[in-house]
Amino acid sequence: MAYQNLTVTVESRIATVTVNRPDKLNALNDATIAELGVVIDDVRTRREVAGVILTGAGRAFVAGADIAELADQTAQAARARAVRGQAIFRRFETSPKPVIAAVNGFALGGGCELAMACHVRIASDTAKFGQPEVKLGLIPGYGGTQRLPRLVGRGRAMHLLLTGETIDAAEALRIGLVDRVVAAAELPGAARDMMVRMLANGPLALAACIDSVDRGLDGTLDDGLALEAEHFGALAASIDMVEGIRAFLEKRLPVFTGT
Ligand code: COA
């Protein structure tokens, strides 16, 4: 499919999705949100894609929802916009294929929310993070009030949400909002290297890890443990587990097939 506001390349089983409205710092207008919905469903189902790297063109990752479109929204339209965007971000978060955010610059508002919906965040040392919606008389609408406290804790999330302040990559790393920081020039390579290391593993196991963490974290510990045991049992019936264990014992690299 041809996208207006995204570029998508696939190489060595890795889809790189780049939000591409650099003149607007990749702000998420409704059209871009819709395209993100199309691309995540596409890469989730494409057999030749095993993982996704999400990044931005130019000096921003994503500088938020497109403020121009928010100006005249009715209460009903705003609520619907939030619900639509939340559902699409959730498709990233629940993707059985790993999704890495390579945060190359501003990740503000919806950009910070989009990065948080990815499984892992690697940031350039020039990246900036924040949820500045309160400065517009709004709150985050794409999951920020829910994912930020889950990632960094209630107090730090409240601090960022209530001040609307922007933090740099080093501070984002310190509070656990990002998982790694690298020099700007190294970001694409670092994201790719991490993805290659993930994709060396069994795809069924990757999907089971993602689902166990995703569904397990929001329930009770006992429910999470039951879910983990369920996945552990299902994987024991897979050809990939037999191959993984045999390869270890035979001192060779495994060849996983996703079966
Ligand atoms: N929505 C719509 N347009 C945006 C945007 C957004 N969230 N963020 C940036 N842009 C546009 C600017 O309007 C400008 O467009 P123009 O050249 O047509 O005037 C262009 O992107 C470049 O931004 P500019 O503000 O000139 O760059 P800067 O380096 O001076 O500042 C930011 C960068 C990120 C600090 C600033 O753009 C900003 O505060 N953006 C809004 C962030 C925000 O509040 N996001 C949450 C929205 S809910």
Side-chain angles (χ1 to χ4, degrees), residues 229-247:
E230 198 180 304
H231 278 306
F232 192 80
L235 289 170
S238 71
I239 294 170
D240 277 354
M241 190 210 73
V242 175
E243 165 63 8
I245 290 180
R246 187 175 291 158

Side-chain angles (χ1 to χ4, degrees), residues 92-154:
F92 281 83
E93 191 168 45
T94 60
S95 162
K97 302 173 183 179
V99 183
I100 295 175
V103 183
N104 54 300
F106 293 112
L108 302 176
C112 190
E113 293 172 293
L114 183 58
M116 289 192 289
C118 298
H119 300 131
V120 174
R121 285 148 293 286
I122 308 181
S124 116
D125 55 5
T126 56
K128 300 263 191 288
F129 297 81
Q131 298 288 166
E133 288 87 347
V134 285
K135 296 185 178 188
L136 304 172
L138 274 172
I139 66 166
Y142 295 152
T145 64
Q146 301 307 303
R147 292 195 181 92
L148 190 58
R150 281 170 169 76
L151 264 182
V152 306
R154 186 176 176 137

